[in-house]
Amino acid sequence: MRPETWALANKSPEHHLLKLELATAARAAGFRAELEVSSKTRTWRAVLLVFDEQDRPFMALEAHQR
């Protein structure tokens, strides 16, 4: 769940599509993937966080617009 203060209105449809494609690819490879994950302290946020077979986060992905 993301805090409501994170505005997504300034992101393009292509940006949102890329995030979904990244999640789909990670899941197709057999991993659990979650969108818009932040740390408990909210000092960082990952567009996509991928978890390993032991359900530990091991990869954070970011999607940037040009």
Side-chain angles (χ1 to χ4, degrees):
M1 179 174 290
R2 66 177 170 77
E4 299 206 7
T5 57
W6 287 342
L8 296 178
N10 61 343
K11 302 295 182 181
S12 70
E14 292 83 8
H15 176 82
H16 294 291
L17 181 60
L18 176 57
K19 291 189 323 185
L20 292 175
E21 289 176 350
L22 290 170
T24 299
R27 292 171 183 151
F31 298 103
R32 181 169 74 89
E34 292 186 18
L35 293 165
E36 302 294 340
V37 178
S38 64
S39 68
K40 291 181 182 184
T41 59
R42 295 194 177 172
T43 55
W44 58 264
R45 176 180 57 117
V47 164
L48 182 74
L49 193 59
V50 182
F51 297 81
D52 67 13
E53 296 83 8
Q54 287 78 41
D55 208 35
R56 298 174 300 200
F58 81 99
M59 185 184 329
L61 300 173
E62 181 65 47
H64 287 278
Q65 292 181 239
R66 287 184 158 197

